[in-house]
Amino acid sequence: MTVEREVVLRPLGVPGDLGWVVMAHGEFYAREFGWDAGFERFVARIAADYADGAGPRAAWIAEVDGARAGCVFCVREDERTARLRMLLVDPAARGLGLGNRLVERCLAYAREAGYGAITLWTNDVLDAARRIYRKQGFELVAEEPHHSFGHDLVGQTWRRDL
């Protein structure tokens, strides 16, 4: 017997949302990739910049059965370009299509806000996210090795026209 799960995408704004985003990223990346607290600090800065930011921007929380299970942010890169930030899906919610739904919502918002393109930065070890980006029409446009979060990584910039 299959149990139907209630999935909701809602705008960020419930008290605790930003704190959850930072905590969930910190815990997930430490557990899954061994990244250190530097990554959580990085995410906290992005979250604070979002909260303090101006210009067209939006963020969404995915809930499964009433509990936070994912997020994505869309912010202004420049007048013509949006930036997708902080996509995350809780491992307990995998297989529900949340990652694709969150990215689709971000893309729709960027189009509605009048952006002509969208970009994002990720790391090559994040295979599941990269599969979603590729499926959603993003193309890899640059790579650069870096040492961050306690590891040698390869940062990637992805882009797509809207």
Side-chain angles (χ1 to χ4, degrees):
M1 179 176 177
T2 303
V3 175
E4 192 72 23
R5 301 187 75 187
E6 181 185 8
V7 177
V8 174
L9 287 173
R10 64 165 176 82
L12 180 102
V14 172
D17 279 349
L18 280 175
W20 177 84
V21 167
V22 173
M23 179 195 73
H25 275 81
E27 289 178 350
F28 172 79
Y29 284 93
R31 184 176 56 251
E32 297 284 322
F33 298 100
W35 291 5
D36 65 22
F39 182 69
E40 190 171 2
R41 287 191 303 275
F42 175 72
V43 171
R45 282 187 202 102
I46 295 169
D49 288 347
Y50 175 85
D52 291 340
R57 68 191 192 291
W60 299 269
I61 298 290
E63 293 181 339
V64 176
D65 299 330
R68 292 177 186 102
C71 61
V72 72
F73 287 60
C74 186
V75 299
R76 181 179 191 258
E77 177 76 10
D78 60 39
E79 283 186 28
R80 298 258 320 122
T81 310
R83 178 175 284 267
L84 184 151
R85 309 231 48 191
M86 299 195 295
L87 175 66
L88 181 74
V89 174
D90 186 292
R94 288 181 181 154
L96 299 174
L98 288 183
N100 279 305
R101 287 180 63 182
L102 286 163
V103 172
E104 286 167 0
R105 184 64 197 104
C106 185
L107 293 172
Y109 170 81
R111 280 188 210 96
E112 293 163 10
Y115 292 113
I118 188 166
T119 188
L120 65 89
W121 181 82
T122 191
N123 285 282
D124 69 337
V125 297
L126 305 180
D127 294 328
R130 293 180 322 114
R131 278 192 299 275
I132 292 169
Y133 302 143
R134 195 172 291 114
K135 180 179 180 182
Q136 294 292 337
F138 284 86
E139 295 179 359
L140 178 64
V141 295
E143 289 186 297
E144 185 173 339
H146 63 100
H147 184 85
S148 302
F149 324 129
H151 294 271
D152 290 325
L153 300 166
V154 178
Q156 296 182 328
T157 300
W158 293 68
R159 181 181 169 87
R160 71 159 280 177
D161 290 333
L162 296 170

